[in-house]
């Protein structure tokens, strides 16, 4: 299995990389652990999961990072991840470059 989940104590907030996998799995009607090669693309082939997880995470001193969003295509979907922690997955429109 290529998906790992941090089960340390704390709140139940999942890393953004897991939220992307979970959102794709929901759209596909499968368990998140099934979103792996060869049936599906690997997230790390599209975006660095660790970088995605830390992009909007608070700085080491606890201060928040800036706002924004990251967009990419993954498993045939258009994915938007926002600094608020929202993950939006929509059908990829192949008619637009």
């Amino acid at each position: 299995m290529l998906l790992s989940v941090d089960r340390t104590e704390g709140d139940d907030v999942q890393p953004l990389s897991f939220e992307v996998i979970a959102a794709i799995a929901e759209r596909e009607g499968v368990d998140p652990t099934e979103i792996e090669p060869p049936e599906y693309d690997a997230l790390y082939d599209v975006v660095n999961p660790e970088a995605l997880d830390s992009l909007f995470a608070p700085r080491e001193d606890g201060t928040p990072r800036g706002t924004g969003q990251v967009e990419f295509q993954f498993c045939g979907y258009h994915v938007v991840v926002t600094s608020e922690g929202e993950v939006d997955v929509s059908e990829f429109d192949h008619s637009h470059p």
Side-chain angles (χ1 to χ4, degrees), residues 27-28 73 75-79 88-94:
R27 294 293 294 250
E28 292 288 302
Q73 275 70 49
C75 292
Y77 294 95
H78 180 82
V79 179
D88 180 59
V89 175
S90 58
E91 295 290 328
F92 179 66
D93 184 355
H94 295 283

Side-chain angles (χ1 to χ4, degrees), residues 23-80:
I24 296 294
E26 183 177 332
R27 294 293 294 250
E28 292 288 302
V30 299
D31 188 85
T33 59
E34 295 181 43
I35 304 295
E36 61 181 34
E39 292 85 14
Y40 294 93
D41 299 330
L43 182 60
Y44 57 77
D45 284 340
V46 178
V47 64
N48 181 321
E50 291 178 3
L52 181 62
D53 293 341
S54 65
L55 183 62
F56 300 121
R59 291 181 174 90
E60 285 188 27
D61 66 2
T63 59
R65 295 191 189 268
T67 60
Q69 67 183 34
V70 175
E71 299 182 38
F72 53 93
Q73 275 70 49
F74 178 55
C75 292
Y77 294 95
H78 180 82
V79 179
V80 179

Side-chain angles (χ1 to χ4, degrees), residues 1 4 9 12 17 24-25 27 49 54-55 70 82 84 87 93:
M1 178 173 77
S4 63
E9 291 184 33
D12 289 338
S17 58
I24 296 294
R27 294 293 294 250
S54 65
L55 183 62
V70 175
T82 71
E84 290 82 29
V87 176
D93 184 355

